[in-house]
Coordinates of all heavy atoms in Angstrom, one line a residue:
M900 N 119.2 79.5 97.8 CA 119.5 80.3 99.0 C 118.3 80.3 99.9 O 117.2 80.6 99.5 CB 119.8 81.7 98.6 CG 120.2 82.6 99.7 SD 120.7 84.2 99.0 CE 120.8 85.1 100.5
A901 N 118.5 80.0 101.2 CA 117.4 80.0 102.2 C 117.1 81.4 102.7 O 118.0 82.2 102.7 CB 117.9 79.1 103.3
I902 N 115.9 81.5 103.0 CA 115.4 82.8 103.6 C 114.8 82.5 104.9 O 114.0 81.6 105.1 CB 114.3 83.5 102.7 CG1 114.8 83.8 101.3 CG2 113.8 84.7 103.4 CD1 113.8 84.3 100.4
C903 N 115.2 83.2 106.0 CA 114.8 83.0 107.3 C 114.5 84.4 107.9 O 115.4 85.2 108.1 CB 115.8 82.2 108.1 SG 115.2 81.9 109.8
L904 N 113.2 84.7 108.2 CA 112.9 85.9 108.8 C 112.0 85.7 110.1 O 111.2 84.7 110.1 CB 112.0 86.7 107.9 CG 112.6 87.1 106.5 CD1 111.6 87.7 105.6 CD2 113.7 88.1 106.7
N905 N 112.3 86.4 111.1 CA 111.4 86.4 112.3 C 110.7 87.7 112.5 O 111.1 88.7 112.0 CB 112.3 86.2 113.6 CG 112.8 84.8 113.7 OD1 112.1 83.8 113.3 ND2 114.0 84.6 114.2
F906 N 109.6 87.6 113.2 CA 108.8 88.8 113.5 C 108.2 88.8 114.8 O 108.0 87.7 115.4 CB 107.7 89.1 112.4 CG 106.7 88.0 112.3 CD1 105.5 88.1 113.1 CD2 106.8 86.9 111.4 CE1 104.6 87.1 113.0 CE2 105.9 86.0 111.3 CZ 104.7 86.0 112.1
E907 N 107.8 89.9 115.4 CA 107.1 90.0 116.7 C 106.3 91.3 116.7 O 106.6 92.3 116.1 CB 108.1 90.0 117.8 CG 109.0 91.2 117.9 CD 110.0 91.2 119.1 OE1 110.2 90.1 119.6 OE2 110.5 92.2 119.5
L908 N 105.1 91.1 117.3 CA 104.2 92.2 117.4 C 104.7 93.2 118.4 O 105.1 92.8 119.5 CB 102.8 91.6 117.9 CG 101.7 92.6 118.1 CD1 101.3 93.2 116.7 CD2 100.5 91.9 118.7
V909 N 104.7 94.5 118.1 CA 105.1 95.5 119.0 C 103.9 96.1 119.7 O 103.9 96.2 120.9 CB 105.8 96.7 118.2 CG1 106.2 97.8 119.1 CG2 107.1 96.1 117.5
T910 N 102.9 96.5 118.9 CA 101.7 97.1 119.5 C 100.5 97.0 118.5 O 100.7 96.9 117.3 CB 102.0 98.6 119.9 OG1 100.8 99.1 120.6 CG2 102.2 99.5 118.6
V911 N 99.3 97.1 119.1 CA 98.1 97.2 118.3 C 97.4 98.5 118.7 O 97.1 98.7 119.9 CB 97.2 96.0 118.5 CG1 95.9 96.2 117.7 CG2 97.9 94.7 118.1
R912 N 97.1 99.4 117.8 CA 96.3 100.6 118.0 C 95.1 100.5 117.2 O 95.1 100.7 116.0 CB 97.1 101.8 117.6 CG 98.4 102.1 118.4 CD 99.2 103.3 117.9 NE 99.1 103.6 116.5 CZ 100.0 103.1 115.6 NH1 101.0 102.3 116.0 NH2 99.9 103.4 114.3
G913 N 93.9 100.3 117.9 CA 92.7 100.1 117.1 C 92.8 98.8 116.3 O 92.9 97.7 116.8
T914 N 92.8 98.9 115.0 CA 92.9 97.8 114.1 C 94.3 97.7 113.5 O 94.6 96.7 112.7 CB 91.8 97.8 113.0 OG1 92.1 99.0 112.2 CG2 90.4 97.8 113.5
I915 N 95.1 98.7 113.7 CA 96.5 98.7 113.1 C 97.5 98.1 114.0 O 97.6 98.4 115.2 CB 96.9 100.2 112.8 CG1 95.9 100.8 111.8 CG2 98.3 100.2 112.3 CD1 96.1 102.2 111.6
A916 N 98.2 97.1 113.5 CA 99.3 96.4 114.2 C 100.7 96.9 113.7 O 100.9 97.1 112.5 CB 99.2 94.9 114.0
V917 N 101.6 97.0 114.6 CA 103.0 97.4 114.3 C 103.8 96.2 114.6 O 103.7 95.6 115.7 CB 103.5 98.6 115.1 CG1 104.9 98.9 114.8 CG2 102.6 99.8 114.7
Y918 N 104.6 95.7 113.6 CA 105.5 94.6 113.8 C 107.0 95.0 113.6 O 107.3 95.8 112.8 CB 105.2 93.5 112.7 CG 104.0 92.6 113.1 CD1 102.7 93.0 112.7 CD2 104.2 91.5 113.9 CE1 101.6 92.2 113.1 CE2 103.1 90.7 114.3 CZ 101.8 91.1 113.9 OH 100.8 90.3 114.2
R919 N 107.8 94.3 114.3 CA 109.3 94.4 114.2 C 109.7 93.1 113.5 O 109.1 92.0 113.8 CB 109.9 94.5 115.5 CG 111.3 94.9 115.5 CD 111.9 95.1 116.9 NE 111.1 94.8 118.1 CZ 110.6 95.7 118.9 NH1 110.8 97.0 118.7 NH2 109.8 95.3 119.9
F920 N 110.6 93.1 112.6 CA 111.0 91.9 111.9 C 112.5 92.1 111.4 O 113.1 93.1 111.4 CB 110.1 91.6 110.6 CG 110.3 92.6 109.5 CD1 111.0 92.2 108.4 CD2 109.8 93.9 109.6 CE1 111.2 93.1 107.3 CE2 110.0 94.8 108.5 CZ 110.7 94.4 107.4
G921 N 113.1 90.9 111.1 CA 114.4 90.9 110.6 C 114.9 89.5 110.3 O 114.1 88.5 110.5
E922 N 116.1 89.4 109.8 CA 116.7 88.1 109.5 C 116.9 87.3 110.8 O 117.2 87.8 111.9 CB 118.0 88.2 108.8 CG 117.9 88.9 107.4 CD 119.2 89.1 106.8 OE1 120.2 88.3 107.1 OE2 119.3 89.9 105.9
C923 N 116.7 85.9 110.7 CA 116.9 85.1 111.8 C 118.3 85.2 112.4 O 119.3 85.5 111.7 CB 116.7 83.6 111.4 SG 115.0 83.3 110.9
L924 N 118.4 85.1 113.7 CA 119.7 85.2 114.5 C 120.3 86.6 114.4 O 121.4 86.8 114.7 CB 120.7 84.2 114.0 CG 120.2 82.7 114.1 CD1 121.3 81.8 113.5 CD2 119.8 82.3 115.5
K925 N 119.5 87.6 113.9 CA 120.0 89.0 113.9 C 118.9 89.9 114.6 O 117.9 89.4 114.9 CB 120.2 89.5 112.5 CG 121.3 88.8 111.7 CD 121.6 89.4 110.4 CE 122.8 88.7 109.7 NZ 123.0 89.3 108.4
E926 N 119.3 91.1 114.8 CA 118.4 92.0 115.4 C 117.2 92.3 114.6 O 117.3 92.4 113.3 CB 119.1 93.4 115.7 CG 118.3 94.4 116.3 CD 119.1 95.7 116.5 OE1 120.3 95.8 116.2 OE2 118.4 96.7 116.9
L927 N 116.0 92.3 115.2 CA 114.8 92.7 114.4 C 114.7 94.2 114.3 O 114.1 94.9 115.1 CB 113.6 92.1 115.2 CG 113.6 90.6 115.5 CD1 112.3 90.2 116.2 CD2 113.7 89.8 114.2
N928 N 115.3 94.7 113.2 CA 115.5 96.2 113.1 C 114.5 96.7 112.1 O 114.5 98.0 111.9 CB 116.9 96.6 112.9 CG 117.5 96.0 111.6 OD1 116.8 95.3 110.9 ND2 118.7 96.3 111.3
G929 N 113.8 95.9 111.4 CA 112.8 96.4 110.4 C 111.5 96.6 111.2 O 111.2 96.0 112.2
E930 N 110.6 97.5 110.7 CA 109.3 97.8 111.3 C 108.3 98.2 110.3 O 108.6 98.9 109.4 CB 109.5 98.8 112.4 CG 108.3 98.9 113.3 CD 108.6 99.8 114.5 OE1 109.3 99.3 115.5 OE2 108.2 101.0 114.5
F931 N 107.1 97.6 110.4 CA 106.0 98.0 109.5 C 104.7 98.0 110.2 O 104.6 97.4 111.3 CB 106.0 97.1 108.2 CG 105.6 95.7 108.5 CD1 104.2 95.3 108.5 CD2 106.5 94.7 108.7 CE1 103.8 94.0 108.7 CE2 106.1 93.4 108.9 CZ 104.8 93.0 108.9
E932 N 103.7 98.6 109.6 CA 102.4 98.5 110.2 C 101.4 98.0 109.1 O 101.7 98.1 107.9 CB 101.9 99.9 110.7 CG 101.7 100.9 109.7 CD 101.2 102.2 110.3 OE1 101.6 102.6 111.4 OE2 100.3 102.9 109.7
V933 N 100.4 97.4 109.6 CA 99.4 96.8 108.7 C 98.0 96.9 109.4 O 97.9 96.8 110.6 CB 99.8 95.3 108.4 CG1 99.8 94.5 109.6 CG2 98.9 94.8 107.3
D934 N 97.0 97.0 108.6 CA 95.6 97.1 109.1 C 94.8 96.0 108.4 O 94.1 96.2 107.4 CB 95.0 98.5 108.8 CG 93.5 98.6 109.3 OD1 93.0 97.6 109.9 OD2 93.0 99.7 109.1
L935 N 94.9 94.8 109.0 CA 94.2 93.6 108.4 C 92.7 93.7 108.4 O 92.0 93.4 107.4 CB 94.7 92.3 109.0 CG 96.1 92.0 108.6 CD1 96.6 90.7 109.2 CD2 96.2 91.9 107.1
P936 N 92.1 94.1 109.5 CA 90.6 94.3 109.5 C 90.2 95.3 108.4 O 89.2 95.1 107.7 CB 90.2 94.8 110.9 CG 91.3 94.2 111.8 CD 92.6 94.3 110.9
G937 N 90.9 96.4 108.3 CA 90.6 97.3 107.2 C 90.7 96.7 105.9 O 89.9 97.0 105.0
L938 N 91.7 95.9 105.6 CA 91.9 95.2 104.4 C 90.8 94.2 104.1 O 90.2 94.2 103.0 CB 93.2 94.5 104.3 CG 93.6 93.9 103.0 CD1 93.8 94.9 101.9 CD2 94.9 93.1 103.2
I939 N 90.5 93.4 105.1 CA 89.4 92.4 104.9 C 88.0 93.0 104.7 O 87.3 92.4 104.0 CB 89.5 91.4 106.1 CG1 90.8 90.6 106.1 CG2 88.3 90.5 106.1 CD1 91.1 89.9 107.4
H940 N 87.7 94.0 105.5 CA 86.4 94.6 105.4 C 86.3 95.7 104.3 O 85.2 96.3 104.1 CB 86.0 95.3 106.7 CG 85.8 94.2 107.8 ND1 86.8 93.9 108.7 CD2 84.8 93.4 108.0 CE1 86.4 93.0 109.5 NE2 85.2 92.6 109.1
G941 N 87.3 95.9 103.5 CA 87.2 96.7 102.3 C 87.5 98.2 102.6 O 87.4 99.0 101.6
D942 N 88.0 98.6 103.8 CA 88.4 99.9 104.0 C 89.7 100.3 103.2 O 89.9 101.4 102.8 CB 88.7 100.2 105.5 CG 87.4 100.0 106.4 OD1 86.3 100.1 105.8 OD2 87.6 99.6 107.5
I943 N 90.5 99.2 103.0 CA 91.6 99.3 102.1 C 91.4 98.4 100.9 O 91.0 97.3 101.1 CB 92.9 98.9 102.8 CG1 93.2 99.7 104.1 CG2 94.1 98.9 101.9 CD1 94.2 99.1 105.0
S944 N 91.5 99.0 99.7 CA 91.2 98.2 98.5 C 92.2 97.0 98.3 O 93.4 97.2 98.6 CB 91.3 99.1 97.3 OG 91.2 98.3 96.1
M945 N 91.6 95.9 98.0 CA 92.5 94.7 97.7 C 93.3 95.0 96.4 O 94.3 94.3 96.2 CB 91.6 93.5 97.4 CG 91.0 92.9 98.7 SD 92.2 92.2 99.7 CE 91.3 91.0 100.5
K946 N 93.0 96.0 95.7 CA 93.8 96.4 94.5 C 94.9 97.4 94.9 O 95.7 97.8 94.0 CB 92.9 96.9 93.4 CG 92.0 95.9 92.9 CD 91.1 96.4 91.8 CE 90.2 95.4 91.2 NZ 89.4 95.9 90.1
A947 N 95.0 97.8 96.1 CA 96.0 98.8 96.5 C 97.4 98.2 96.4 O 97.6 97.0 96.6 CB 95.7 99.2 98.0
P948 N 98.4 99.0 96.0 CA 99.7 98.5 96.0 C 100.1 97.9 97.4 O 99.7 98.5 98.4 CB 100.6 99.7 95.6 CG 99.6 100.7 95.2 CD 98.3 100.4 95.7
I949 N 101.0 96.9 97.4 CA 101.3 96.3 98.6 C 102.0 97.3 99.6 O 101.9 97.1 100.8 CB 102.2 95.0 98.4 CG1 102.4 94.2 99.6 CG2 103.6 95.4 97.8 CD1 101.1 93.5 100.1
C950 N 102.7 98.3 99.0 CA 103.4 99.2 99.9 C 102.4 100.1 100.6 O 102.7 100.8 101.6 CB 104.4 100.1 99.1 SG 103.7 101.1 97.8
K951 N 101.1 100.1 100.2 CA 100.1 100.9 100.9 C 99.4 100.0 101.9 O 98.6 100.5 102.7 CB 99.0 101.4 99.9 CG 99.6 102.3 98.8 CD 100.1 103.6 99.5 CE 100.6 104.5 98.4 NZ 101.3 105.7 98.9
V952 N 99.6 98.7 101.9 CA 99.1 97.7 102.8 C 100.1 97.4 103.9 O 99.8 97.4 105.1 CB 98.6 96.4 102.1 CG1 98.1 95.4 103.1 CG2 97.6 96.7 101.0
V953 N 101.3 97.1 103.5 CA 102.4 96.8 104.4 C 103.3 98.1 104.4 O 104.1 98.3 103.5 CB 103.2 95.6 103.9 CG1 104.4 95.3 104.8 CG2 102.3 94.4 103.8
I954 N 103.1 98.9 105.4 CA 103.7 100.2 105.4 C 105.0 100.2 106.2 O 104.9 100.1 107.4 CB 102.7 101.3 105.9 CG1 101.5 101.3 105.0 CG2 103.4 102.7 106.0 CD1 100.3 102.0 105.6
L955 N 106.1 100.3 105.6 CA 107.4 100.3 106.3 C 107.5 101.6 107.1 O 107.2 102.7 106.7 CB 108.6 100.3 105.3 CG 108.8 99.0 104.5 CD1 109.9 99.2 103.5 CD2 109.1 97.8 105.4
K956 N 108.0 101.4 108.4 CA 108.2 102.5 109.3 C 109.6 103.0 109.3 O 109.9 104.0 109.8 CB 107.8 102.1 110.7 CG 106.3 101.6 110.8 CD 105.3 102.6 110.4 CE 105.2 103.6 111.5 NZ 104.2 104.7 111.2
N957 N 110.5 102.2 108.8 CA 111.9 102.6 108.6 C 112.5 101.9 107.4 O 111.9 101.0 106.8 CB 112.7 102.3 109.9 CG 112.8 100.8 110.2 OD1 112.8 99.9 109.4 ND2 112.8 100.5 111.5
R958 N 113.7 102.2 107.1 CA 114.3 101.6 105.9 C 115.4 100.6 106.2 O 116.3 100.3 105.5 CB 114.9 102.7 105.0 CG 113.9 103.6 104.5 CD 113.0 102.9 103.4 NE 112.0 103.8 103.0 CZ 110.9 103.4 102.5 NH1 110.6 102.1 102.3 NH2 109.9 104.2 102.1
N959 N 115.3 99.9 107.4 CA 116.3 98.9 107.8 C 116.1 97.6 107.2 O 116.9 96.7 107.4 CB 116.3 98.8 109.4 CG 116.8 100.1 110.0 OD1 117.7 100.8 109.4 ND2 116.4 100.4 111.2
Q960 N 114.9 97.4 106.5 CA 114.7 96.1 105.9 C 114.0 96.4 104.5 O 113.5 97.5 104.3 CB 113.8 95.2 106.7 CG 114.4 94.6 107.9 CD 115.5 93.6 107.6 OE1 115.4 92.9 106.6 NE2 116.4 93.4 108.5
S961 N 113.9 95.4 103.7 CA 113.3 95.7 102.4 C 111.8 95.4 102.4 O 111.3 94.7 103.2 CB 114.0 94.7 101.3 OG 113.5 93.4 101.6
Q962 N 111.2 96.0 101.4 CA 109.7 95.8 101.3 C 109.5 94.4 101.0 O 108.5 93.8 101.5 CB 109.2 96.7 100.1 CG 107.7 96.6 100.0 CD 106.9 97.4 101.0 OE1 107.2 98.5 101.3 NE2 105.9 96.7 101.6
A963 N 110.3 93.7 100.2 CA 110.1 92.3 99.9 C 110.2 91.4 101.1 O 109.3 90.5 101.3 CB 111.2 91.8 98.9
A964 N 111.1 91.7 102.1 CA 111.1 90.9 103.3 C 109.9 91.2 104.1 O 109.3 90.2 104.7 CB 112.4 91.3 104.1
A965 N 109.4 92.4 104.2 CA 108.2 92.8 104.9 C 107.0 92.1 104.3 O 106.1 91.6 105.1 CB 108.0 94.3 105.0
N966 N 107.0 92.0 103.0 CA 105.8 91.3 102.3 C 105.8 89.8 102.7 O 104.7 89.3 102.8 CB 105.9 91.5 100.8 CG 105.8 93.0 100.4 OD1 105.4 93.8 101.2 ND2 106.2 93.2 99.2
K967 N 106.9 89.2 102.8 CA 107.0 87.8 103.1 C 106.4 87.5 104.5 O 105.7 86.6 104.8 CB 108.4 87.2 103.0 CG 108.9 87.1 101.5 CD 110.3 86.6 101.4 CE 110.8 86.6 100.1 NZ 110.0 86.6 98.9
V968 N 106.9 88.4 105.5 CA 106.4 88.3 106.8 C 104.8 88.6 106.8 O 104.1 87.9 107.5 CB 107.1 89.3 107.7 CG1 106.4 89.5 109.1 CG2 108.6 88.9 107.9
F969 N 104.4 89.6 106.1 CA 103.0 89.9 106.0 C 102.2 88.7 105.6 O 101.1 88.5 106.1 CB 102.8 91.1 105.0 CG 101.3 91.3 104.6 CD1 100.4 91.8 105.5 CD2 100.9 90.8 103.4 CE1 99.1 92.0 105.1 CE2 99.6 91.0 103.0 CZ 98.7 91.6 103.9
G970 N 102.7 87.9 104.6 CA 101.9 86.7 104.2 C 101.6 85.8 105.3 O 100.5 85.2 105.4
K971 N 102.6 85.6 106.2 CA 102.4 84.7 107.3 C 101.4 85.3 108.3 O 100.5 84.6 108.8 CB 103.8 84.4 108.1 CG 104.8 83.7 107.2 CD 104.4 82.3 106.9 CE 104.8 81.4 108.0 NZ 104.6 80.0 107.7
I972 N 101.5 86.6 108.5 CA 100.6 87.2 109.5 C 99.2 87.2 108.9 O 98.2 86.9 109.6 CB 101.1 88.7 109.7 CG1 102.4 88.7 110.5 CG2 100.0 89.5 110.5 CD1 103.1 90.0 110.5
Y973 N 99.0 87.5 107.6 CA 97.7 87.5 107.0 C 97.0 86.1 107.1 O 95.9 86.0 107.4 CB 97.9 87.9 105.5 CG 96.6 88.0 104.7 CD1 95.7 89.1 105.0 CD2 96.3 87.1 103.8 CE1 94.5 89.2 104.3 CE2 95.1 87.2 103.1 CZ 94.2 88.2 103.3 OH 93.1 88.3 102.6
K974 N 97.8 85.0 106.8 CA 97.2 83.7 106.9 C 96.8 83.4 108.3 O 95.7 82.8 108.5 CB 98.2 82.7 106.4 CG 98.4 82.7 104.9 CD 99.5 81.7 104.5 CE 99.8 81.8 103.0 NZ 100.9 81.0 102.6
Y975 N 97.6 83.7 109.3 CA 97.2 83.5 110.7 C 96.0 84.3 111.0 O 95.1 83.8 111.7 CB 98.4 83.9 111.6 CG 98.1 83.6 113.0 CD1 98.5 82.5 113.6 CD2 97.5 84.6 113.8 CE1 98.3 82.2 115.0 CE2 97.2 84.4 115.2 CZ 97.7 83.2 115.7 OH 97.4 82.9 117.1
F976 N 95.9 85.6 110.6 CA 94.8 86.4 110.9 C 93.5 85.9 110.3 O 92.5 85.9 111.0 CB 95.0 87.9 110.4 CG 94.1 88.9 111.0 CD1 94.3 89.5 112.2 CD2 92.9 89.2 110.3 CE1 93.4 90.4 112.7 CE2 92.0 90.1 110.8 CZ 92.3 90.7 112.0
L977 N 93.5 85.4 109.1 CA 92.3 84.8 108.5 C 91.8 83.6 109.3 O 90.6 83.4 109.4 CB 92.6 84.4 107.0 CG 92.8 85.6 106.1 CD1 93.1 85.0 104.7 CD2 91.5 86.5 106.0
E978 N 92.7 82.8 109.8 CA 92.3 81.6 110.6 C 91.9 81.9 112.0 O 90.9 81.3 112.5 CB 93.5 80.7 110.6 CG 93.2 79.3 111.2 CD 94.3 78.3 111.1 OE1 95.1 78.4 110.2 OE2 94.4 77.5 112.1
H979 N 92.5 82.9 112.7 CA 92.3 83.1 114.1 C 91.6 84.4 114.4 O 91.2 84.7 115.5 CB 93.6 83.0 114.9 CG 94.3 81.7 114.7 ND1 93.9 80.6 115.4 CD2 95.3 81.3 114.0 CE1 94.6 79.6 115.1 NE2 95.5 80.0 114.2
Y980 N 91.5 85.3 113.4 CA 91.0 86.7 113.5 C 91.6 87.4 114.7 O 91.0 88.1 115.5 CB 89.5 86.7 113.6 CG 89.0 88.0 113.0 CD1 89.0 88.3 111.7 CD2 88.5 89.0 113.9 CE1 88.6 89.5 111.1 CE2 88.0 90.2 113.3 CZ 88.1 90.4 112.0 OH 87.7 91.6 111.5
E981 N 92.9 87.3 114.8 CA 93.7 88.1 115.7 C 95.2 88.1 115.2 O 95.6 87.2 114.4 CB 93.7 87.5 117.1 CG 94.4 86.1 117.3 CD 94.3 85.6 118.7 OE1 93.5 86.1 119.5 OE2 95.1 84.6 119.0
Y982 N 95.9 89.1 115.6 CA 97.3 89.2 115.1 C 98.2 88.3 115.9 O 98.0 88.2 117.1 CB 97.8 90.7 115.4 CG 97.2 91.7 114.4 CD1 96.3 92.6 114.9 CD2 97.6 91.7 113.1 CE1 95.8 93.6 114.0 CE2 97.1 92.7 112.2 CZ 96.2 93.6 112.7 OH 95.6 94.6 111.9
P983 N 99.1 87.6 115.2 CA 100.0 86.7 115.9 C 101.0 87.5 116.7 O 101.4 88.6 116.3 CB 100.7 85.9 114.8 CG 100.6 86.8 113.6 CD 99.3 87.5 113.8
T984 N 101.5 87.0 117.8 CA 102.4 87.8 118.6 C 103.9 87.6 118.1 O 104.7 88.5 118.3 CB 102.4 87.4 120.1 OG1 102.6 86.0 120.2 CG2 101.0 87.8 120.7
K985 N 104.2 86.5 117.5 CA 105.5 86.3 117.0 C 105.4 85.1 116.0 O 104.5 84.3 116.0 CB 106.6 86.1 118.0 CG 106.4 84.9 118.9 CD 107.5 84.6 119.8 CE 107.9 85.8 120.7 NZ 109.0 85.5 121.6
G986 N 106.5 85.0 115.2 CA 106.5 83.9 114.2 C 107.7 84.1 113.3 O 108.6 84.9 113.6
G987 N 107.7 83.3 112.3 CA 108.8 83.3 111.3 C 108.3 82.9 109.9 O 107.3 82.4 109.7
Y988 N 109.2 83.2 109.0 CA 109.0 82.9 107.6 C 110.3 82.1 107.2 O 111.4 82.6 107.4 CB 108.8 84.1 106.7 CG 108.9 83.8 105.2 CD1 107.7 83.4 104.6 CD2 110.0 83.8 104.5 CE1 107.7 83.1 103.2 CE2 110.1 83.5 103.2 CZ 108.9 83.2 102.5 OH 108.9 82.8 101.2
Y989 N 110.1 80.9 106.7 CA 111.3 80.1 106.3 C 111.0 79.6 104.9 O 110.0 79.0 104.6 CB 111.5 79.0 107.3 CG 111.4 79.4 108.7 CD1 110.2 79.2 109.5 CD2 112.5 80.1 109.3 CE1 110.2 79.7 110.8 CE2 112.4 80.5 110.6 CZ 111.2 80.3 111.3 OH 111.2 80.7 112.6
A990 N 112.0 79.8 104.0 CA 111.9 79.2 102.7 C 113.3 78.9 102.1 O 114.3 79.4 102.6 CB 111.3 80.2 101.7

């Protein structure tokens, strides 16, 4: 079964980014926040549960889907040291 998720940056407040995400060709109705500089610099423990790193803002999507999107955002952030404005996860 194929997985297709899209995401877009909503806002950045300090080091915290808020993303909207959802299944491809559908409304992006999930939302989460993440603090990648805080994670990278040790303000957030690398041993913290993923739900403390990828914080769902609503229950319109699953934590697992948010985690897949987070993986793409994290890789981009490590390479460019900025949050991507939009993208997708395809598997």
